[in-house]
Amino acid sequence: MINKPISVMPLSRQVRYFKESRENWKERALDKQEQLRFFSQKNFDLEKSREKWKREALSGREEIKELKKEIENLKKNNQLKKLP
């Protein structure tokens, strides 16, 4: 049996090709890692913002409930004339 070369490409060209390929892989991996960090931070910021707005909305609802109760109490005591 005669061993045939795996590639027809000269060895020096294969070495250059694999080095370039490795460098491209590293560059893509670093880009993806940077994107991952960016989106991770963005996700964290959005979750924080969402929680803030949620707290504010719930606080506003509680305030509305309290004000409605106060209005009803004033109406019951005839201290408040008709409201629009």
Side-chain angles (χ1 to χ4, degrees):
M1 266 175 70
I2 300 173
N3 288 339
K4 290 186 178 181
I6 296 174
S7 176
V8 189
M9 204 182 314
L11 186 59
S12 61
R13 191 164 173 210
Q14 284 181 9
V15 170
R16 187 174 63 240
Y17 171 79
F18 286 125
K19 281 183 180 179
E20 288 175 4
S21 176
R22 183 171 182 258
E23 289 303 314
N24 289 338
W25 173 83
K26 279 184 181 180
E27 191 174 321
R28 285 193 315 270
L30 289 174
D31 287 345
K32 288 181 183 189
Q33 188 177 25
E34 187 178 323
Q35 272 187 332
L36 186 62
R37 282 191 196 119
F38 172 77
F39 287 122
S40 176
Q41 182 63 43
K42 189 171 185 169
N43 186 42
F44 177 77
D45 292 343
L46 289 172
E47 285 179 357
K48 215 167 127 179
S49 175
R50 182 177 183 270
E51 287 300 317
K52 175 187 168 246
W53 286 109
K54 188 176 180 180
R55 280 193 308 273
E56 285 186 24
L58 292 175
S59 170
R61 284 182 185 170
E62 289 299 318
E63 187 176 351
I64 289 171
K65 283 181 185 178
E66 289 172 10
L67 291 172
K68 283 182 178 180
K69 284 181 184 178
E70 189 176 331
I71 289 171
E72 287 301 316
N73 287 336
L74 290 173
K75 280 182 181 177
K76 284 181 183 176
N77 296 333
N78 284 330
Q79 295 175 357
L80 186 66
K81 301 286 179 180
K82 272 191 169 180
L83 284 179

